Short mmCIF file of all heavy atoms in Angstrom, two decimals:
data_model
loop_
_atom_site.label_atom_id
_atom_site.label_comp_id
_atom_site.label_asym_id
_atom_site.label_seq_id
_atom_site.Cartn_x
_atom_site.Cartn_y
_atom_site.Cartn_z
N LEU A 1 10.21 62.71 38.36
CA LEU A 1 10.00 62.81 39.79
C LEU A 1 11.32 62.98 40.52
O LEU A 1 11.42 63.77 41.46
CB LEU A 1 9.28 61.56 40.30
CG LEU A 1 9.07 61.45 41.82
CD1 LEU A 1 8.26 62.62 42.34
CD2 LEU A 1 8.39 60.13 42.18
N HIS A 2 12.35 62.27 40.08
CA HIS A 2 13.65 62.39 40.72
C HIS A 2 14.25 63.79 40.51
O HIS A 2 14.86 64.34 41.43
CB HIS A 2 14.59 61.32 40.18
CG HIS A 2 14.10 59.93 40.43
ND1 HIS A 2 14.55 58.84 39.74
CD2 HIS A 2 13.18 59.44 41.30
CE1 HIS A 2 13.95 57.74 40.16
NE2 HIS A 2 13.08 58.09 41.11
N GLU A 3 14.05 64.34 39.33
CA GLU A 3 14.53 65.71 39.08
C GLU A 3 13.81 66.71 39.98
O GLU A 3 14.46 67.58 40.60
CB GLU A 3 14.30 66.09 37.62
CG GLU A 3 15.27 65.49 36.64
CD GLU A 3 15.04 65.98 35.23
OE1 GLU A 3 13.89 66.34 34.91
OE2 GLU A 3 16.01 66.03 34.45
N ALA A 4 12.50 66.55 40.07
CA ALA A 4 11.73 67.46 40.95
C ALA A 4 12.15 67.27 42.40
O ALA A 4 12.23 68.24 43.17
CB ALA A 4 10.23 67.20 40.79
N GLY A 5 12.42 66.03 42.80
CA GLY A 5 12.90 65.79 44.15
C GLY A 5 14.23 66.47 44.44
O GLY A 5 14.43 67.00 45.55
N THR A 6 15.10 66.46 43.46
CA THR A 6 16.40 67.16 43.63
C THR A 6 16.20 68.64 43.84
O THR A 6 16.85 69.29 44.67
CB THR A 6 17.28 66.91 42.39
OG1 THR A 6 17.51 65.51 42.26
CG2 THR A 6 18.62 67.63 42.53
N LEU A 7 15.26 69.23 43.06
CA LEU A 7 14.97 70.64 43.22
C LEU A 7 14.42 70.94 44.62
O LEU A 7 14.88 71.88 45.30
CB LEU A 7 13.96 71.08 42.17
CG LEU A 7 13.40 72.52 42.29
CD1 LEU A 7 14.51 73.52 42.07
CD2 LEU A 7 12.27 72.75 41.31
N VAL A 8 13.43 70.16 45.06
CA VAL A 8 12.82 70.40 46.37
C VAL A 8 13.86 70.20 47.47
O VAL A 8 13.93 70.97 48.44
CB VAL A 8 11.60 69.48 46.56
CG1 VAL A 8 11.05 69.60 47.98
CG2 VAL A 8 10.52 69.81 45.53
N PHE A 9 14.68 69.16 47.35
CA PHE A 9 15.72 68.91 48.36
C PHE A 9 16.69 70.08 48.41
O PHE A 9 17.10 70.53 49.49
CB PHE A 9 16.46 67.62 48.00
CG PHE A 9 17.51 67.25 48.98
CD1 PHE A 9 17.22 66.50 50.13
CD2 PHE A 9 18.85 67.63 48.79
CE1 PHE A 9 18.20 66.17 51.06
CE2 PHE A 9 19.83 67.30 49.71
CZ PHE A 9 19.52 66.57 50.83
N GLY A 10 17.07 70.59 47.23
CA GLY A 10 18.00 71.73 47.18
C GLY A 10 17.44 72.96 47.85
O GLY A 10 18.15 73.68 48.57
N VAL A 11 16.15 73.21 47.62
CA VAL A 11 15.52 74.38 48.27
C VAL A 11 15.49 74.17 49.79
O VAL A 11 15.76 75.10 50.56
CB VAL A 11 14.09 74.58 47.72
CG1 VAL A 11 13.36 75.68 48.50
CG2 VAL A 11 14.13 74.96 46.25
N GLY A 12 15.22 72.94 50.23
CA GLY A 12 15.23 72.66 51.66
C GLY A 12 16.60 72.90 52.27
O GLY A 12 16.73 73.45 53.39
N VAL A 13 17.64 72.51 51.56
CA VAL A 13 19.01 72.74 52.05
C VAL A 13 19.29 74.23 52.15
O VAL A 13 19.94 74.69 53.10
CB VAL A 13 20.05 72.03 51.13
CG1 VAL A 13 21.48 72.46 51.47
CG2 VAL A 13 19.90 70.53 51.26
N ILE A 14 18.82 75.00 51.19
CA ILE A 14 18.98 76.47 51.23
C ILE A 14 18.37 77.04 52.49
O ILE A 14 18.97 77.86 53.20
CB ILE A 14 18.37 77.10 49.98
CG1 ILE A 14 19.24 76.80 48.75
CG2 ILE A 14 18.22 78.62 50.16
CD1 ILE A 14 18.61 77.21 47.43
N TRP A 15 17.16 76.58 52.83
CA TRP A 15 16.49 77.09 54.01
C TRP A 15 17.22 76.67 55.29
O TRP A 15 17.32 77.43 56.23
CB TRP A 15 15.03 76.61 54.03
CG TRP A 15 14.17 77.43 53.09
CD1 TRP A 15 14.06 77.26 51.75
CD2 TRP A 15 13.36 78.55 53.44
NE1 TRP A 15 13.21 78.20 51.22
CE2 TRP A 15 12.78 79.01 52.21
CE3 TRP A 15 13.06 79.20 54.61
CZ2 TRP A 15 11.91 80.08 52.19
CZ3 TRP A 15 12.19 80.29 54.58
CH2 TRP A 15 11.62 80.72 53.38
N LEU A 16 17.75 75.46 55.27
CA LEU A 16 18.49 74.99 56.45
C LEU A 16 19.81 75.71 56.61
O LEU A 16 20.16 76.16 57.71
CB LEU A 16 18.72 73.49 56.33
CG LEU A 16 19.25 72.79 57.58
CD1 LEU A 16 18.27 72.94 58.75
CD2 LEU A 16 19.48 71.29 57.30
N LEU A 17 20.55 75.90 55.51
CA LEU A 17 21.83 76.61 55.56
C LEU A 17 21.65 78.07 55.97
O LEU A 17 22.49 78.62 56.68
CB LEU A 17 22.52 76.53 54.22
CG LEU A 17 23.16 75.19 53.84
CD1 LEU A 17 23.72 75.24 52.42
CD2 LEU A 17 24.26 74.83 54.84
N SER A 18 20.55 78.68 55.50
CA SER A 18 20.34 80.08 55.85
C SER A 18 20.19 80.26 57.36
O SER A 18 20.58 81.30 57.92
CB SER A 18 19.12 80.62 55.13
OG SER A 18 17.93 79.94 55.54
N LEU A 19 19.64 79.25 58.04
CA LEU A 19 19.54 79.34 59.49
C LEU A 19 20.92 79.28 60.17
O LEU A 19 21.20 80.03 61.09
CB LEU A 19 18.68 78.19 60.04
CG LEU A 19 17.16 78.40 60.04
CD1 LEU A 19 16.47 77.11 60.50
CD2 LEU A 19 16.77 79.55 60.96
N GLY A 20 21.76 78.38 59.64
CA GLY A 20 23.09 78.23 60.27
C GLY A 20 24.00 79.40 59.94
O GLY A 20 24.67 79.95 60.83
N VAL A 21 24.06 79.78 58.68
CA VAL A 21 25.00 80.84 58.25
C VAL A 21 24.59 82.19 58.83
O VAL A 21 25.45 82.99 59.20
CB VAL A 21 25.06 80.89 56.71
CG1 VAL A 21 25.92 82.07 56.24
CG2 VAL A 21 25.63 79.59 56.16
N PHE A 22 23.30 82.46 58.88
CA PHE A 22 22.82 83.78 59.31
C PHE A 22 22.13 83.70 60.67
O PHE A 22 21.16 84.44 60.93
CB PHE A 22 21.87 84.37 58.25
CG PHE A 22 22.49 84.46 56.89
CD1 PHE A 22 22.02 83.66 55.85
CD2 PHE A 22 23.56 85.30 56.64
CE1 PHE A 22 22.57 83.74 54.60
CE2 PHE A 22 24.12 85.37 55.38
CZ PHE A 22 23.62 84.58 54.35
N TRP A 23 22.61 82.83 61.52
CA TRP A 23 21.95 82.62 62.82
C TRP A 23 21.95 83.90 63.65
O TRP A 23 21.00 84.16 64.39
CB TRP A 23 22.64 81.51 63.59
CG TRP A 23 22.00 81.23 64.92
CD1 TRP A 23 22.47 81.56 66.15
CD2 TRP A 23 20.73 80.62 65.13
NE1 TRP A 23 21.59 81.17 67.12
CE2 TRP A 23 20.50 80.59 66.52
CE3 TRP A 23 19.75 80.08 64.28
CZ2 TRP A 23 19.36 80.05 67.07
CZ3 TRP A 23 18.61 79.55 64.83
CH2 TRP A 23 18.43 79.53 66.22
N ARG A 24 22.99 84.71 63.55
CA ARG A 24 23.06 85.92 64.36
C ARG A 24 22.26 87.07 63.74
O ARG A 24 22.15 88.14 64.35
CB ARG A 24 24.52 86.35 64.53
CG ARG A 24 25.36 85.36 65.33
CD ARG A 24 26.77 85.89 65.49
NE ARG A 24 27.58 84.94 66.23
CZ ARG A 24 27.66 84.90 67.57
NH1 ARG A 24 26.95 85.76 68.26
NH2 ARG A 24 28.44 84.03 68.17
N THR A 25 21.71 86.84 62.56
CA THR A 25 20.88 87.84 61.92
C THR A 25 19.43 87.68 62.39
O THR A 25 19.03 86.59 62.80
CB THR A 25 20.94 87.65 60.38
OG1 THR A 25 22.29 87.67 59.96
CG2 THR A 25 20.17 88.75 59.66
N ASP A 26 18.66 88.77 62.37
CA ASP A 26 17.28 88.66 62.86
C ASP A 26 16.46 87.73 61.96
O ASP A 26 16.77 87.52 60.78
CB ASP A 26 16.63 90.03 62.98
CG ASP A 26 16.37 90.69 61.62
OD1 ASP A 26 15.40 90.31 60.99
OD2 ASP A 26 17.18 91.56 61.20
N ALA A 27 15.40 87.17 62.54
CA ALA A 27 14.63 86.10 61.90
C ALA A 27 14.04 86.55 60.56
O ALA A 27 14.02 85.77 59.61
CB ALA A 27 13.55 85.63 62.85
N LEU A 28 13.54 87.77 60.51
CA LEU A 28 12.88 88.25 59.30
C LEU A 28 13.88 88.36 58.16
O LEU A 28 13.58 88.03 57.00
CB LEU A 28 12.21 89.59 59.57
CG LEU A 28 11.15 90.06 58.58
CD1 LEU A 28 10.02 89.04 58.51
CD2 LEU A 28 10.61 91.41 58.97
N ARG A 29 15.10 88.80 58.46
CA ARG A 29 16.12 88.94 57.43
C ARG A 29 16.57 87.57 56.92
O ARG A 29 16.76 87.39 55.72
CB ARG A 29 17.31 89.73 57.99
CG ARG A 29 18.14 90.42 56.94
CD ARG A 29 19.13 91.38 57.61
NE ARG A 29 18.45 92.42 58.38
CZ ARG A 29 19.06 93.26 59.18
NH1 ARG A 29 20.38 93.18 59.35
NH2 ARG A 29 18.36 94.19 59.82
N ARG A 30 16.71 86.59 57.83
CA ARG A 30 17.06 85.24 57.41
C ARG A 30 15.99 84.68 56.47
O ARG A 30 16.29 84.06 55.46
CB ARG A 30 17.15 84.31 58.63
CG ARG A 30 18.41 84.45 59.46
CD ARG A 30 18.57 83.21 60.34
NE ARG A 30 17.40 82.95 61.16
CZ ARG A 30 17.27 83.36 62.43
NH1 ARG A 30 18.23 84.05 63.01
NH2 ARG A 30 16.18 83.04 63.12
N PHE A 31 14.74 84.90 56.83
CA PHE A 31 13.62 84.41 56.04
C PHE A 31 13.66 85.02 54.63
O PHE A 31 13.46 84.34 53.63
CB PHE A 31 12.29 84.74 56.73
CG PHE A 31 11.14 83.95 56.27
CD1 PHE A 31 10.78 82.77 56.88
CD2 PHE A 31 10.36 84.37 55.19
CE1 PHE A 31 9.69 82.02 56.45
CE2 PHE A 31 9.29 83.64 54.75
CZ PHE A 31 8.93 82.46 55.38
N PHE A 32 13.96 86.30 54.58
CA PHE A 32 14.01 87.01 53.29
C PHE A 32 15.13 86.45 52.43
O PHE A 32 14.93 86.19 51.22
CB PHE A 32 14.23 88.50 53.53
CG PHE A 32 14.23 89.34 52.28
CD1 PHE A 32 13.05 89.79 51.74
CD2 PHE A 32 15.42 89.65 51.63
CE1 PHE A 32 13.03 90.54 50.58
CE2 PHE A 32 15.43 90.41 50.48
CZ PHE A 32 14.23 90.87 49.95
N ILE A 33 16.30 86.24 52.99
CA ILE A 33 17.43 85.71 52.22
C ILE A 33 17.12 84.32 51.67
O ILE A 33 17.34 84.04 50.49
CB ILE A 33 18.70 85.66 53.11
CG1 ILE A 33 19.15 87.06 53.45
CG2 ILE A 33 19.84 84.89 52.41
CD1 ILE A 33 20.25 87.12 54.53
N ALA A 34 16.57 83.45 52.51
CA ALA A 34 16.24 82.09 52.07
C ALA A 34 15.21 82.11 50.95
O ALA A 34 15.31 81.37 49.97
CB ALA A 34 15.73 81.27 53.24
N LEU A 35 14.21 83.00 51.07
CA LEU A 35 13.16 83.07 50.07
C LEU A 35 13.71 83.56 48.72
O LEU A 35 13.38 83.04 47.67
CB LEU A 35 12.04 83.99 50.55
CG LEU A 35 10.80 84.07 49.65
CD1 LEU A 35 10.12 82.70 49.58
CD2 LEU A 35 9.83 85.12 50.15
N MET A 36 14.56 84.58 48.75
CA MET A 36 15.10 85.14 47.51
C MET A 36 15.99 84.12 46.80
O MET A 36 15.91 83.95 45.56
CB MET A 36 15.88 86.43 47.78
CG MET A 36 15.05 87.58 48.32
SD MET A 36 13.66 88.11 47.26
CE MET A 36 12.26 87.48 48.19
N VAL A 37 16.87 83.45 47.53
CA VAL A 37 17.74 82.44 46.91
C VAL A 37 16.91 81.29 46.35
O VAL A 37 17.16 80.80 45.23
CB VAL A 37 18.80 81.94 47.91
CG1 VAL A 37 19.65 80.83 47.29
CG2 VAL A 37 19.69 83.06 48.38
N SER A 38 15.91 80.87 47.10
CA SER A 38 15.04 79.79 46.62
C SER A 38 14.30 80.20 45.36
O SER A 38 14.14 79.39 44.42
CB SER A 38 14.00 79.43 47.71
OG SER A 38 14.65 78.99 48.88
N TRP A 39 13.87 81.45 45.30
CA TRP A 39 13.16 81.92 44.12
C TRP A 39 14.05 81.90 42.88
O TRP A 39 13.62 81.49 41.80
CB TRP A 39 12.62 83.34 44.37
CG TRP A 39 11.91 83.92 43.20
CD1 TRP A 39 12.34 84.88 42.35
CD2 TRP A 39 10.60 83.56 42.71
NE1 TRP A 39 11.42 85.14 41.38
CE2 TRP A 39 10.33 84.35 41.59
CE3 TRP A 39 9.65 82.64 43.15
CZ2 TRP A 39 9.16 84.23 40.88
CZ3 TRP A 39 8.46 82.53 42.43
CH2 TRP A 39 8.22 83.32 41.32
N LEU A 40 15.33 82.29 43.04
CA LEU A 40 16.24 82.26 41.90
C LEU A 40 16.50 80.83 41.45
O LEU A 40 16.60 80.58 40.23
CB LEU A 40 17.58 82.93 42.30
CG LEU A 40 17.53 84.45 42.51
CD1 LEU A 40 18.87 84.96 42.99
CD2 LEU A 40 17.10 85.16 41.24
N LEU A 41 16.57 79.91 42.37
CA LEU A 41 16.74 78.50 41.99
C LEU A 41 15.52 77.99 41.26
O LEU A 41 15.62 77.26 40.25
CB LEU A 41 17.00 77.65 43.24
CG LEU A 41 17.31 76.18 43.01
CD1 LEU A 41 18.60 75.99 42.23
CD2 LEU A 41 17.39 75.43 44.35
N TYR A 42 14.33 78.36 41.75
CA TYR A 42 13.10 77.91 41.11
C TYR A 42 12.95 78.46 39.70
O TYR A 42 12.54 77.75 38.78
CB TYR A 42 11.88 78.34 41.95
CG TYR A 42 10.57 78.14 41.28
CD1 TYR A 42 10.05 76.87 41.06
CD2 TYR A 42 9.83 79.22 40.82
CE1 TYR A 42 8.82 76.67 40.43
CE2 TYR A 42 8.62 79.06 40.18
CZ TYR A 42 8.11 77.77 39.99
OH TYR A 42 6.92 77.61 39.35
N THR A 43 13.30 79.73 39.49
CA THR A 43 13.10 80.37 38.17
C THR A 43 14.20 80.02 37.19
O THR A 43 14.18 80.51 36.05
CB THR A 43 12.99 81.88 38.32
OG1 THR A 43 14.14 82.39 39.01
CG2 THR A 43 11.73 82.26 39.07
N THR A 44 15.16 79.21 37.57
CA THR A 44 16.19 78.75 36.63
C THR A 44 16.10 77.24 36.50
O THR A 44 15.50 76.74 35.57
CB THR A 44 17.58 79.21 37.11
OG1 THR A 44 17.75 78.88 38.51
CG2 THR A 44 17.74 80.71 36.98
#
């Protein structure tokens, strides 16, 4: 459970950071970046 929690927390941080780092980028592009990075984390 703790390992799974670390994974979920990490994905949440990715989504939060993507908002801050790419704030000047349009919303759809930010969403795409966060989803792709999260997917790579999930599949590894």
Side-chain angles (χ1 to χ4, degrees):
L1 176 59
H2 299 161
E3 284 184 332
T6 300
L7 173 65
V8 174
F9 182 86
V11 173
V13 170
I14 288 171
W15 282 82
L16 191 60
L17 285 176
S18 63
L19 275 175
V21 175
F22 304 113
W23 181 254
R24 295 182 180 274
T25 306
D26 69 79
L28 198 58
R29 205 170 298 171
R30 284 198 305 265
F31 198 91
F32 183 85
I33 293 170
L35 185 64
M36 295 302 108
V37 176
S38 300
W39 179 254
L40 291 176
L41 184 64
Y42 170 71
T43 54
T44 49

